[in-house]
Amino acid sequence: MHTIAIVVHATSAIAAFIIGIVLIFQRNVLRQLQLGRAFLVLLMLMEVFLVIAILSHVTSLSTITQIIFGGLVILGLYMIWRAVQAVTILTKQHQEDQLKVIDHVGFVLISLFDGFAIVSALDLQAPGWLVAVIAVGIGIYGINLRKKTLKMQMIQNSSSR
């Protein structure tokens, strides 16, 4: 049960990451909404299977590991809340709210990337602080680049009217 839960959890996280990236670069608001809904469902699957994986062997985990996993569950719930906020904004279909969508989805992407980096660091026995600095730096750079591009597009659209 534990292995299946880990596989579904990881697969859902990877798929959510890919769809999230496609979502923030998508210009069609209707398509963004469809991607946003898929993004949300994948995050929910990721969270459910994380909890199943943890509960399937919680008694064999040290107290500190239980606390870390508890923190990851809370982070996952917050990521789902951010995805719900993005989908809610996309439902209204206002172009000027795109920066808010990018903020919400971007937070989730950074969190997912950090999760991938943390798991990789644990597997490779790399220093966690180094991986965290790189993961957050790359995530923030990517989101800010997309925001800048979107702002430029909005300025061009408003000046061509």
Side-chain angles (χ1 to χ4, degrees):
M1 176 63 127
H2 176 74
T3 303
I4 293 170
I6 291 295
V7 168
V8 175
H9 165 76
T11 303
S12 299
I14 291 167
F17 188 77
I18 293 167
I19 288 181
I21 290 171
V22 173
L23 190 159
I24 64 172
F25 287 100
Q26 178 60 242
R27 291 184 183 195
N28 181 299
V29 179
L30 180 58
R31 183 74 175 130
Q32 280 183 324
L33 180 58
Q34 294 168 337
L35 290 166
R37 289 177 176 153
F39 184 65
L40 177 59
V41 168
L42 287 165
L43 289 173
M44 291 165 53
L45 283 171
M46 178 194 79
E47 183 75 357
V48 166
F49 283 95
L50 172 63
V51 171
I52 291 170
I54 292 169
L55 292 177
S56 70
H57 75 293
V58 72
T59 56
S60 67
L61 300 173
S62 68
T63 303
I64 190 69
T65 303
Q66 289 177 8
I67 292 169
I68 291 168
F69 284 164
L72 289 173
V73 169
I74 292 168
L75 175 61
L77 291 172
Y78 184 65
M79 290 165 55
I80 291 168
W81 181 82
R82 296 289 297 255
V84 167
Q85 298 305 305
V87 170
T88 301
I89 292 167
L90 289 169
T91 303
K92 297 175 187 174
Q93 297 185 358
H94 295 293
Q95 184 67 24
E96 52 277 353
D97 290 336
Q98 289 298 302
L99 293 176
K100 292 178 187 174
V101 172
I102 291 173
D103 279 340
H104 290 303
V105 174
F107 174 86
V108 174
L109 290 175
I110 291 169
S111 298
L112 287 169
F113 188 82
D114 285 347
F116 302 147
I118 289 166
V119 169
S120 297
L122 292 173
D123 288 345
L124 297 172
Q125 299 177 347
W129 64 267
L130 176 62
V131 175
V133 168
I134 293 169
V136 172
I138 290 171
I140 290 171
Y141 173 77
I143 298 306
N144 285 334
L145 180 63
R146 177 62 181 139
K147 281 181 172 180
K148 184 178 177 181
T149 303
L150 188 59
K151 284 179 186 177
M152 291 171 60
Q153 288 172 348
M154 291 171 83
I155 289 170
Q156 289 174 349
N157 289 343
S158 65
S159 66
S160 65
R161 290 180 187 175

